[in-house]
Amino acid sequence: MDSEKALELVKHGATLLLLDVPQHTLVGIDTQIFSVGPAFKGIKMIPPGIHFVFYSSSTRDGKEFSPTIGFFVDVAPSQVIVRKWNQQDEWLAKVSEEEEERYSQAVRSLEFDKHLGPYNLSRYGEWKHLSNYITKDVIEKFEPVGGEITVIYESAILKGGPKTEMEKALDAQMKKSKFKASSNEEPKENSIYYTSIPRILKHKGMSGQELTSMNHDKTQLLESVLSKEYKDSEDLLLGELQFSFVAFLMGQSLESFMQWKSIVSLLLGCIHAPFHTRSQLFTKFIKVIYHQLKYGLQKESSGPEMGVHALLDDSWLASDSFLHLLSKDFFALVEEASVVDGDLLSWTRKFKELLENRLGWEFQKNSAIDGTYFDEDDEYAPVVEMLDESHEEYMVT
């Protein structure tokens, strides 16, 4: 890149000015991570639009890290965002408007230029695939008060003891964090304003057989949630799916993983909608989850790993995980459908190949009830209960 082009990108791009950040702190933006050195004061050449900034404080030897703290930003061309390290609480605090304006002028005058790491524009496309449905409205709807996303505010999720390797690692980090002990705010539950998505749909007066049929296919539940919670905006649903994935993978939020799992389970549990009423939504959904897992499963580390940032947790990518079991049923539906949207079929096959090639998963049919395939001990398979031995009535729970 020639000097004129670089200068144009510096002036047009946004800047994240980070003052007094200790050495060895890990600072990330989108899919990129920097390890802070003695001269580091932030990141320049950031494309205008939505980004996720996250960081993790380090011990002096750079071997142990505190839980990640992250926040979304929507930056304008040439905007300067200023944060200053709070040594006591180990977090990046906002500065006064007067300070921000003074530092912004210094950045635009290139006074900090040699201390700013460039945003790797070759990886911007990767980030866009992970965030193309995240808008300013999506951020404002779901982000917690204050904007900071961190597992420190989610300690209630780990009550009863951490179970997965990911939870154990985060629990160990939380116990060492100064932010938890010193922050002015007490740890909050439900700090992110996620949509409540029920597991089953119930209607008074319905027979057991009708309830079974309705909840065996999540289409009616999807329509209900879209209508009541998203004002029928498919893109808002996909925006929350992307918001929760980024907050989970980059921000280490367990609450966000649970929300991502709920949305994925809802969509992959639909039988009628993908082929008759919501084909475009499902094509967009499969593209979204394809790019999410393509990024999450890449074996190459692009820089220093931040806790569990680099790879998704093995405990839910195993062959008996919810994702494998639901994907298998969905793939079978698409492959066997008499009529299916061409784009949906193409992206479903790409998604299936990704899981087969990266994880070695196989998607063979095992057993069938009413034409739907599932494994024994499948958490997401229908639980069938006989309500009356003299009638063929069942209820899904």
Side-chain angles (χ1 to χ4, degrees):
M1 184 185 301
D2 61 52
S3 57
E4 287 188 14
K5 178 65 174 176
L7 183 59
E8 179 185 338
L9 289 171
V10 168
K11 291 184 174 180
H12 178 71
T15 300
L16 183 64
L17 184 65
L18 306 174
L19 302 170
D20 304 331
V21 182
Q23 286 193 59
H24 305 302
T25 300
L26 295 181
V27 174
I29 181 168
D30 305 339
T31 63
Q32 304 171 39
I33 303 177
F34 300 78
S35 181
V36 173
F40 180 89
K41 293 189 185 299
I43 304 163
K44 61 184 176 181
M45 298 166 59
I46 302 170
I50 302 296
H51 298 277
F52 187 70
V53 179
F54 52 103
Y55 58 94
S56 177
S57 62
S58 165
T59 53
R60 289 189 177 184
D61 58 8
K63 294 182 179 179
E64 295 184 2
F65 296 91
S66 296
T68 300
I69 301 170
F71 55 92
F72 284 95
V73 292
D74 180 14
V75 297
S78 305
Q79 182 180 353
V80 179
I81 296 174
V82 183
R83 295 285 190 276
K84 183 176 287 188
W85 189 258
N86 181 308
Q87 185 63 42
Q88 180 180 351
D89 293 349
E90 293 188 340
W91 73 299
L92 288 168
K94 295 180 180 179
V95 299
S96 67
E97 290 185 14
E98 181 183 342
E99 278 188 292
E100 186 159 50
E101 180 57 33
R102 179 162 53 84
Y103 281 120
S104 296
Q105 289 298 334
V107 168
R108 296 187 183 107
S109 300
L110 304 181
E111 294 178 27
F112 287 98
D113 194 61
K114 65 181 181 180
H115 298 289
L116 301 173
Y119 185 101
N120 186 347
L121 295 173
S122 68
R123 299 192 62 187
Y124 183 51
E126 181 179 59
W127 168 246
K128 290 297 291 182
H129 282 311
L130 299 177
S131 63
N132 57 314
Y133 291 103
I134 303 178
T135 62
K136 184 177 181 181
D137 288 342
V138 167
I139 294 170
E140 291 178 349
K141 180 175 177 62
F142 301 117
E143 72 174 350
V145 174
E148 272 90 11
I149 294 171
T150 172
V151 73
I152 295 167
Y153 290 150
E154 303 170 8
S155 56
I157 296 176
L158 295 176
K159 282 182 179 177
K163 299 174 181 62
T164 68
E165 290 304 313
M166 174 180 64
E167 290 174 343
K168 290 175 184 176
L170 292 176
D171 187 52
Q173 285 182 325
M174 287 170 64
K175 289 175 181 176
K176 299 173 183 176
S177 172
K178 292 182 183 178
F179 184 79
K180 177 180 179 181
S182 304
S183 175
N184 291 330
E185 295 186 61
E186 289 297 317
K188 305 183 290 291
E189 293 184 27
N190 303 319
S191 57
I192 305 175
Y193 294 96
Y194 284 132
T195 303
S196 176
I197 297 178
R199 282 282 301 275
I200 62 173
L201 193 62
K202 298 177 181 178
H203 286 310
K204 289 182 179 179
M206 277 189 136
S207 68
Q209 192 170 21
E210 289 171 326
L211 282 168
T212 297
S213 175
M214 182 173 64
N215 286 290
H216 177 63
D217 175 2
K218 300 293 186 184
T219 294
Q220 288 191 49
L221 179 55
L222 172 63
E223 293 298 333
S224 175
V225 170
L226 277 170
S227 175
K228 293 178 182 177
E229 304 294 345
Y230 299 98
K231 295 183 170 57
D232 209 36
S233 171
E234 296 178 351
D235 286 359
L236 183 56
L237 170 64
L238 295 172
E240 184 170 3
L241 180 66
Q242 290 186 331
F243 182 107
S244 59
F245 182 82
V246 169
F248 157 59
L249 196 63
M250 284 76 162
Q252 296 186 338
S253 165
L254 292 178
E255 181 183 5
S256 297
F257 166 66
M258 292 165 68
Q259 185 66 10
W260 181 84
K261 180 177 178 180
S262 292
I263 297 174
V264 169
S265 299
L266 170 64
L267 289 166
L268 288 180
C270 291
I271 296 174
H272 182 80
F275 312 107
H276 302 286
T277 56
R278 298 283 182 178
S279 290
Q280 286 189 329
L281 167 61
F282 276 83
T283 301
K284 292 186 287 187
F285 160 61
I286 294 298
K287 288 174 70 173
V288 165
I289 193 173
Y290 169 84
H291 286 295
Q292 288 178 339
L293 294 182
K294 182 182 178 184
Y295 170 70
L297 294 172
Q298 56 190 352
K299 298 298 182 184
E300 307 82 15
S301 178
S302 58
E305 294 187 12
M306 186 177 293
V308 294
H309 168 270
L311 294 175
L312 304 182
D313 188 25
D314 289 343
S315 65
W316 61 273
L317 290 176
S319 59
D320 60 350
S321 71
F322 87 99
L323 185 61
H324 178 272
L325 299 169
L326 287 175
S327 296
K328 181 176 63 176
D329 288 348
F330 186 81
F331 295 155
L333 282 172
V334 173
E335 293 291 346
E336 295 170 6
S338 56
V339 179
V340 60
D341 179 86
D343 286 340
L344 175 59
L345 178 61
S346 174
W347 277 100
T348 300
R349 285 174 173 170
K350 284 185 68 172
F351 182 43
K352 181 181 177 184
E353 288 173 7
L354 175 73
L355 297 179
E356 289 173 336
N357 294 336
R358 295 287 178 90
L359 296 172
W361 283 358
E362 296 181 0
F363 296 99
Q364 301 299 320
K365 303 165 190 174
N366 293 321
S367 58
I369 289 182
D370 295 332
T372 300
Y373 298 90
F374 58 90
D375 286 328
E376 293 181 11
D377 302 323
D378 178 356
E379 175 189 359
Y380 286 85
V383 177
V384 183
E385 298 178 353
M386 185 70 76
L387 298 182
D388 186 338
E389 293 184 357
S390 62
H391 296 88
E392 293 293 317
E393 290 189 343
Y394 305 87
M395 177 175 286
V396 175
T397 59

